[in-house]
Amino acid sequence: MNEIIESIKQSTIEIKNIIVKGDTGKSEQQNSTGDTQLKLDIASDRVIENNFKKLASIKQIVSEEQDYIIDINENGKYLIAYDPLDGSSLVDVNLSVGSIYGIYEKSFEGQNIIGAVYVVFGPRVEMVVCDGKSVKLYRMDENKNFNFTQDLTMNKKGTISSPGSTQQCWYDNHRTMINTMFQEGYELSYSGGMVPDLHHVLLRGGGLFSYPGASDKPNGKLRQLFEVFPFAFIFETAGGASSDGSQSALKIKTTHIHDTSPCFLGSSDEIDMVHQYYKQS
Ligand code: AFP
């Protein structure tokens, strides 16, 4: 997996330059989810695809920005699903964004994920790498080197609530749960960028990030392969937990590569709380 991590580092350096110099305008194209693609999305996607195509260990890749799986090397071992620039619509208001990578074996399913990486393009560029045994934080320095900073672990109970989705569309059980958390003193943290929002929960030791199903999006908004499974793998490895409202998100059965799912990620106590409120409903 080392050559994959090195490739991601190279892509990160190139994407950082694109963000700084790039045009944040809209392209004429839409992705499979119907989102209008920004020029940044397409440029970042091209960088990652071109770098991954050089690796003998990769069998297939699939991007959130593309309709289909791309075959790379029939003798390759790894399948990689990636979101090249998640939250890209936030670049033009200068908020943090990120890249997300899920590394799978055999098939693109939650149960077959064996590695996950995300990169935060914020005041600093940071990369988090998870191999299923540990979650490690690296920081890019002025010479474009990625230096190990610390191992990341989560407390049993946290202090942050990061509630996504359109509040007026929340189901009653979800609204009651979120309101109760704030009454109990949880700190609100939500930027609209999944990568910085989850990085915040992870680095502050825990809490709950939620993007539930709601009346406008019953199956949620976040994509299973590119967003939900990589972060579920990272949070569970760090000692936290994940859920789709009733079980570990990694147990979700994927039927299409662009499927979405309700998504809860956080400390184990908070995920237990989610199951209490969702079981009752
Ligand atoms: P974009 O990639 O289209 O900006 O969406 C980002 C995202 O998929 C994820 O990063 C956020 O958690 C989520 O959308 C925010 O969605 P809302 O804007 O509906 O809160």
Side-chain angles (χ1 to χ4, degrees):
M1 216 157 77
N2 283 343
E3 67 169 12
I4 293 172
I5 305 304
E6 291 307 309
S7 178
I8 290 172
K9 289 178 185 176
Q10 178 54 37
S11 295
T12 298
I13 293 165
E14 295 177 46
I15 292 171
K16 173 66 177 173
N17 290 336
I18 290 171
I19 292 171
V20 171
K21 298 173 190 156
D23 175 351
T24 61
K26 294 186 187 314
S27 74
E28 301 303 316
Q29 300 166 233
Q30 285 193 334
N31 65 17
S32 306
T33 316
D35 303 328
T36 299
Q37 290 176 305
L38 301 181
K39 293 173 184 170
L40 286 179
D41 291 321
I42 294 168
S44 303
D45 183 44
R46 194 168 294 131
V47 161
I48 295 170
E49 179 181 331
N50 290 338
N51 285 330
F52 277 156
K53 279 181 170 174
K54 302 169 188 168
L55 303 187
S57 64
I58 295 179
K59 185 179 180 68
Q60 294 180 319
I61 60 175
V62 61
S63 166
E64 185 194 287
E65 299 302 337
Q66 297 193 41
D67 293 342
Y68 307 107
I69 292 170
I70 299 173
D71 294 322
I72 304 293
N73 181 325
E74 64 177 342
N75 300 317
K77 177 179 179 184
Y78 302 111
L79 292 66
I80 304 180
Y82 63 91
D83 182 352
L85 200 61
D86 183 84
S88 56
S89 58
L90 299 172
V91 170
D92 65 351
V93 291
N94 201 26
L95 289 179
S96 297
V97 293
S99 303
I100 312 168
Y101 303 82
I103 303 168
Y104 301 79
E105 284 184 334
K106 302 189 189 83
S107 68
F108 287 113
E109 290 180 273
Q111 65 188 22
N112 289 333
I113 192 167
I114 54 103
V117 178
Y118 70 83
V119 174
V120 189
F121 296 98
R124 298 185 294 214
V125 176
E126 295 188 335
M127 177 176 72
V128 170
V129 178
C130 176
D131 60 0
K133 302 184 194 75
S134 66
V135 179
K136 295 186 180 300
L137 172 64
Y138 299 83
R139 187 168 295 150
M140 188 174 83
D141 66 21
E142 64 279 13
N143 301 313
K144 308 285 191 284
N145 298 312
F146 288 77
N147 305 307
F148 173 73
T149 307
Q150 64 184 93
D151 282 291
L152 299 177
T153 56
M154 296 186 72
N155 301 327
K156 185 170 177 293
K157 181 175 169 56
T159 58
I160 291 173
S161 178
S162 189
S165 180
T166 309
Q167 297 197 20
Q168 72 183 62
C169 299
W170 287 351
Y171 298 128
D172 289 344
N173 65 315
H174 186 79
R175 187 185 315 286
T176 304
M177 180 180 76
I178 297 299
N179 290 342
T180 301
M181 291 182 78
F182 288 129
Q183 287 156 11
E184 289 175 356
Y186 279 81
E187 170 196 341
L188 168 65
S189 168
Y190 192 76
S191 73
M194 180 181 197
V195 174
D197 288 339
L198 283 163
H199 196 56
H200 192 183
V201 172
L202 190 54
L203 266 65
R204 288 283 189 272
L208 180 67
F209 171 91
S210 54
Y211 204 106
S215 58
D216 60 339
K217 298 187 183 78
N219 289 323
K221 173 183 181 182
L222 302 180
R223 295 79 167 183
Q224 292 173 12
L225 265 53
F226 312 104
E227 297 164 324
V228 177
F229 293 158
F231 273 108
F233 188 66
I234 290 167
F235 271 62
E236 291 186 7
T237 302
S242 76
S243 181
D244 64 354
S246 63
Q247 60 178 353
S248 163
L250 295 176
K251 291 183 178 171
I252 294 171
K253 292 299 174 209
T254 299
T255 53
H256 185 276
I257 55 175
H258 290 285
D259 280 350
T260 63
S261 160
C263 175
F264 302 88
L265 296 155
S267 305
S268 51
D269 280 8
E270 281 82 348
I271 297 298
D272 289 346
M273 175 194 65
V274 168
H275 292 159
Q276 288 306 314
Y277 277 93
Y278 275 73
K279 186 167 54 179
Q280 289 159 13
S281 67

